[in-house]
């Protein structure tokens, strides 16, 4: 005999637990299934262990999707302020970093404990280390086969994430279930991911590994302003992770280092006041010293004095720094990607409830859906909002 539940949720991450809480508040009998040993593993490692749990500026403009309007309903119905109220209800200390990013003062585990507490309060059952063998239509509802036996449910919510960080258990299960039930897919690829350089490029910039600088990183018409970090594999740092979601293989990235200042004007003034200063030394007052040496060497100006440089040479040097064009070879892939771009086509889902239009009772939430946020708490807000939306209906 199959066990009976009102709602079965596959995935005990941010979206799945939020959905369980909301469905449980409605008196629904809920079981949350996950093959992992612990719930909320992506929450635990996020934000350097302090969980960037939302962003106060989160809105549709901060998300990528083939349908940019799809996220509007869920994000409007469950806002960053709503989640912050839950955090404060549980007495979790938090702080705001740059650009509206909210973090726990102490540990990401505080968010997991909060979600588990809320889940227990509504008597939603959490079953870890449970293998999902299949999920099928059964009568008016669904039958989920697990290694512990079958469970029948009126509603099935899939919250098992995307392909990013497979070492944390990412499997692509949600996509297989979606395709099984006839839902469309948008091409998936790694997002918020470091970019790699080919061996020839690395030979040129390899000496800069570990150097970080303030920059604007641009791919096509999209640009982000934060730190860029040069690594032994290529480019990383917040600005690169952000722009990686817009970059496609074969395209160039343009870096505007020190975007707040006019490097050419500064060098011309230094030429007037400190003309005997070596070019690399002068640049070292503007850029990290290894970067200064790199650009001086690249322009074959190392050892020359500022007084020897024409306006044209200074302008060319400044352009090499503030329009530094690099063509990445690729990305580090799902191994280090924070999110999966693409996923289940939103045309097949109801934006208000996250229910599959053609399969009543089947819902998809969180990262598996073709809604991907910027770096900085946006993807967690989508998890909370989409989980909330499904929880009101499942």
């Amino acid at each position: 005999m199959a066990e009976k539940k009102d709602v079965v949720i596959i995935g005990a991450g941010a979206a799945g637990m939020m959905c369980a809480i909301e469905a449980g508040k409605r008196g629904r009998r809920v079981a949350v299934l996950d093959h992992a040993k612990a719930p909320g593993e992506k929450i635990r490692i996020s934000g350097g262990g302090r969980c960037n749990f939302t962003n106060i500026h989160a809105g549709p403009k901060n998300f990528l999707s083939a349908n940019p309007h799809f996220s509007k309903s869920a994000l409007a119905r469950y806002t960053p302020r709503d989640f912050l109220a839950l955090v404060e209800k549980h007495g979790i200390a938090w702080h705001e970093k740059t650009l509206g990013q909210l973090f726990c003062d102490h540990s990401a585990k505080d968010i997991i404990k909060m979600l588990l507490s809320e889940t227990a309060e509504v008597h939603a059952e959490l079953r870890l280390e449970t293998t999902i063998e299949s999920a099928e239509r059964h009568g008016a509802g669904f039958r989920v086969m697990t290694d512990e036996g079958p469970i029948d449910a009126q509603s099935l919510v899939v919250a098992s994430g995307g392909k990013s960080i497979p070492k944390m258990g990412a499997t692509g299960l949600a996509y297989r279930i979606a395709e099984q039930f006839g839902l469309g897919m948008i091409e998936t690829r790694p997002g918020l991911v470091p970019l790699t350089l080919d061996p020839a490029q690395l030979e040129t910039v390899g000496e800069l590994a570990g150097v970080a600088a303030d920059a604007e990183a641009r791919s096509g018409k999209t640009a982000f302003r934060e730190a860029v970090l040069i690594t032994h594999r290529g480019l990383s740092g917040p600005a690169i992770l952000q722009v990686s979601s817009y970059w496609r293989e074969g395209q160039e990235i343009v870096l505007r280092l020190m975007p707040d200042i006019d490097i050419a004007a500064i060098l011309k003034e230094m030429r007037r006041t400190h003309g005997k200063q070596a070019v690399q030394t002068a640049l070292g007052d503007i850029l990290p010293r290894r970067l200064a040496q790199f650009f001086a060497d690249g322009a074959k100006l190392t050892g020359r004095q500022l007084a020897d440089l024409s306006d044209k040479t200074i302008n060319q040097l400044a352009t090499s720094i503030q329009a530094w064009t690099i063509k990445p070879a690729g990305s580090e892939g799902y191994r280090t990607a924070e999110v999966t771009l693409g996923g289940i086509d939103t045309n097949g889902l109801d934006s208000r409830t996250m229910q599959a239009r053609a399969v009543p009772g089947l819902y998809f939430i969180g990262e598996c859906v073709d809604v991907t946020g910027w770096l900085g708490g946006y993807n967690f807000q989508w998890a909370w909002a989409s989980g909330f939306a499904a929880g009101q209906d499942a």
Side-chain angles (χ1 to χ4, degrees), residues 17-266:
M17 285 195 281
M18 176 59 80
C19 182
I21 293 163
E22 293 304 318
K25 286 178 182 176
R26 294 170 45 235
R28 303 285 275 167
R29 294 171 301 158
V30 180
V32 184
L33 315 178
D34 202 302
H35 65 265
K37 292 182 179 180
E41 283 291 87
K42 266 198 167 181
I43 299 173
R44 181 181 61 80
I45 66 165
S46 67
R50 292 196 174 180
C51 188
N52 181 188
F53 56 80
T54 192
N55 192 298
I56 58 172
H57 303 309
K61 68 182 184 301
N62 309 115
F63 293 84
L64 291 81
S65 174
N67 177 2
H69 300 291
F70 180 82
S71 65
K72 287 181 178 178
S73 176
L75 291 171
R77 292 172 63 213
Y78 193 84
T79 69
R81 299 289 177 187
D82 293 323
F83 191 77
L84 187 55
L86 183 61
V87 168
E88 292 183 331
K89 169 189 166 186
H90 284 261
I92 297 172
W94 60 275
H95 60 278
E96 181 181 344
K97 281 194 176 179
T98 56
L99 306 172
Q101 303 169 33
L102 304 190
F103 287 79
C104 297
D105 281 0
H106 304 300
S107 171
K109 293 178 182 177
D110 292 341
I111 298 295
I112 298 172
K113 288 176 186 173
M114 174 191 81
L115 294 169
L116 291 175
S117 173
E118 290 282 324
T119 301
E121 192 173 315
V122 298
H123 308 292
E125 190 178 352
L126 180 62
R127 298 184 189 177
L128 300 171
E129 297 183 272
T130 299
T131 301
I132 308 298
E133 296 172 351
S134 65
E136 298 174 348
R137 261 291 189 202
H138 184 74
F142 300 86
R143 173 164 288 179
V144 179
M145 293 299 300
T146 77
D147 57 347
E148 297 176 353
I151 307 173
D152 288 349
Q154 296 170 9
S155 298
L156 174 62
V157 182
V158 183
S160 54
K163 298 178 181 178
S164 59
I165 320 184
K167 70 179 181 182
M168 309 238 9
T171 63
L173 173 64
Y175 308 137
R176 294 195 293 275
I177 294 175
E179 289 175 337
Q180 173 190 331
F181 283 99
L183 276 78
M185 293 287 298
I186 303 296
E187 175 202 2
T188 56
R189 56 194 176 91
L192 302 181
V193 63
L195 299 177
T196 57
L197 302 178
D198 64 35
Q201 291 171 306
L202 285 174
E203 197 170 315
T204 304
V205 303
E207 66 204 49
L208 299 174
V211 174
D214 187 25
E216 177 191 83
R218 177 175 296 277
S219 177
K221 295 180 180 179
T222 305
F224 290 93
R225 159 73 187 280
E226 280 188 83
V228 165
L229 172 68
I230 299 167
T231 73
H232 67 286
R233 291 172 59 87
L235 302 173
S236 190
I240 294 297
L241 297 184
Q242 292 280 36
V243 86
S244 73
S245 293
Y246 295 83
W247 174 83
R248 300 302 290 254
E249 217 159 300
Q251 295 179 340
E252 295 176 330
I253 296 284
V254 179
L255 299 181
R256 180 178 174 83
L257 301 180
M258 312 308 288
D260 286 337
I261 63 176
D262 183 338
I263 290 178
I266 290 172

Side-chain angles (χ1 to χ4, degrees), residues 341-361:
L341 290 155
I344 296 161
D345 191 342
T346 59
N347 285 330
L349 303 177
D350 183 319
S351 65
R352 189 176 171 279
T353 64
M354 310 303 295
Q355 183 173 216
R357 295 183 186 279
V359 190

Side-chain angles (χ1 to χ4, degrees), residues 290-306:
R290 277 196 283 164
L291 270 177
Q293 189 67 58
F294 172 81
F295 284 108
D297 288 348
K300 296 182 170 53
L301 296 175
T302 298
R304 293 185 61 183
Q305 295 182 352
L306 285 174

